[in-house]
Amino acid sequence: MVSDLCSKHYPKEYQPETSFDSNGYVQYRRQPNRFHVIKNNVKIDNRYVVPYNRELCLHYMAHINVEYCGWNMLIKYLFKYISKGADRVHYTITNSHSTTDNNNQRHLNEIQNFLDGRFICSHEAAWRIFNFVIHDRKPAVQVLAVHLENKQNISFSDNAQQQNIIQNTYNSRTTLTEWLCNNNNDNRGRDLTYVDYLTKYRWHAANKCWIRRSSKKTPAIGRLIYIHPRSGETFFLRMLLAHQKGCRSYECIRTVNGELCQTFRGACEKLGLLGDDKEWTFTFEEASNWATASELRSLFPHMLLYCEISYPILLWNQQWHRMADDGQRNFGITNDDDLRQFVLYELELLLRS
């Protein structure tokens, strides 16, 4: 109980049938009937029953929580919790029978004795000792670089000579530069966009080059790296890379219907990608696939302040519910008006900061 209210939002409402609400949370069937018990002078009926699987509970003589995951946003939160890692604890090793001198020595070595450890169960410990696979990813995901011409990041050792770094073209190779180069030398992939290039080619990381994929190989999935809307021309370049096909140079990327545009933004405008704040809607929807509600609320003020949105109220009306999916879960807010006020209050705090 928190402030005389159940933190899990019991009792639930009666439901004639099991369904998903507008936020994707399951509402189980709870029919009114005459069966109830009295506990602490409170009438307990179907509205107080925690969802359970009767067959499993009886078979294993234990409560087992089994629910069907039927909402894509739940998948996002599932992977976020898995990525948090194992439980960790800070602890110190002490000796209760140590003498005064030993105590002084222990205090001197307190930093050395302060350990950062974690507790895992015996099953997970055995799994890791035998080097079994912890996780897998299929199909493979290839991160695709996005950068302006000659603006890519390069890596080099501390003792490398500047002239050698400049002359070594291998270091400056990226998936983007080699995509442009490969289209010059191989016309078989010119019908593909940068993202779709992985359906017929694979990236060889050691040699930093694209290699024609065998028909028997499972194609990988290409993912453009995230570019913040404040990044200017790099952001518009990223938009074009999802639409332009068979480009052989940066000039080719910003060429639309045979006309070379001066900027990547100009090319986006010619392709109709910027009409009615389309790029900001696309950016927000794309971010919502992986970002939490609090992260989306952090992104929205940046877009208002720096992205020159033509109709902010329209973007708000389309996207505010994506920034509110933690309001019901954490605070039990179910009314749309209350959820909207919750998001507005959080945005106000961010804007004032």
Side-chain angles (χ1 to χ4, degrees), residues 329-343:
R329 184 181 66 259
N330 296 338
F331 304 102
I333 306 174
T334 57
N335 183 275
D336 278 355
D337 291 335
D338 293 337
L339 279 174
R340 190 182 293 107
Q341 292 301 320
F342 161 74
V343 177

Side-chain angles (χ1 to χ4, degrees), residues 138-156:
K138 185 178 181 181
V141 177
Q142 174 65 52
V143 179
L144 299 174
V146 178
H147 55 82
L148 297 177
E149 189 171 6
N150 296 325
K151 297 294 184 180
Q152 63 267 43
N153 294 327
I154 64 172
S155 301
F156 53 89

Side-chain angles (χ1 to χ4, degrees), residues 283-340:
T283 299
F284 204 90
E285 291 177 351
E286 184 183 35
S288 67
N289 291 329
W290 55 266
T292 61
S294 61
E295 291 170 334
L296 292 177
R297 289 195 294 268
S298 178
L299 173 63
F300 193 75
H302 280 284
M303 298 178 71
L304 292 179
L305 294 172
Y306 304 110
C307 295
E308 301 178 359
I309 301 177
S310 303
Y311 302 100
I313 187 64
L314 181 61
L315 182 65
W316 159 258
N317 290 331
Q318 292 174 345
Q319 307 297 340
W320 73 265
H321 62 281
R322 298 180 186 272
M323 298 180 274
D325 62 3
D326 59 343
Q328 180 179 12
R329 184 181 66 259
N330 296 338
F331 304 102
I333 306 174
T334 57
N335 183 275
D336 278 355
D337 291 335
D338 293 337
L339 279 174
R340 190 182 293 107

Side-chain angles (χ1 to χ4, degrees), residues 3 7 18-19 22 48 73 78 84 99 130 132 164 167 184 201 267 318 320 327 336 339 349:
S3 301
S7 61
T18 299
S19 62
S22 58
Y48 290 83
M73 293 292 285
L78 172 66
K84 287 183 177 179
T99 62
F130 287 112
F132 293 151
N164 294 335
Q167 293 177 352
N184 278 309
Y201 293 83
Q318 292 174 345
W320 73 265
D336 278 355
L339 279 174
L349 296 179

Side-chain angles (χ1 to χ4, degrees), residues 44-99:
I44 309 280
D45 55 17
N46 276 349
R47 296 176 299 165
Y48 290 83
V49 178
V50 177
Y52 67 97
N53 185 295
R54 182 177 181 273
E55 288 74 16
L56 288 177
C57 291
L58 290 175
H59 181 77
Y60 292 102
M61 298 298 293
H63 176 72
I64 301 176
N65 184 20
V66 179
E67 296 192 40
Y68 173 71
C69 183
W71 187 41
N72 61 342
M73 293 292 285
L74 295 180
I75 298 293
K76 180 176 71 174
Y77 282 105
L78 172 66
F79 278 92
K80 279 189 173 289
Y81 279 109
I82 290 176
S83 301
K84 287 183 177 179
D87 294 334
R88 305 184 72 85
V89 60
H90 291 283
Y91 63 92
T92 56
I93 299 176
T94 60
N95 185 353
S96 59
H97 301 291
S98 59
T99 62

Side-chain angles (χ1 to χ4, degrees), residues 215-245:
S215 59
K216 297 180 181 179
K217 296 289 186 178
T218 304
I221 297 176
R223 288 290 181 266
L224 297 172
I225 63 170
Y226 177 72
I227 302 296
H228 197 277
R230 290 180 58 188
S231 301
E233 283 290 276
T234 310
F235 174 76
F236 297 110
L237 168 63
R238 185 183 187 276
M239 291 187 64
L240 289 172
L241 289 174
H243 296 84
Q244 299 286 63
K245 296 181 179 180

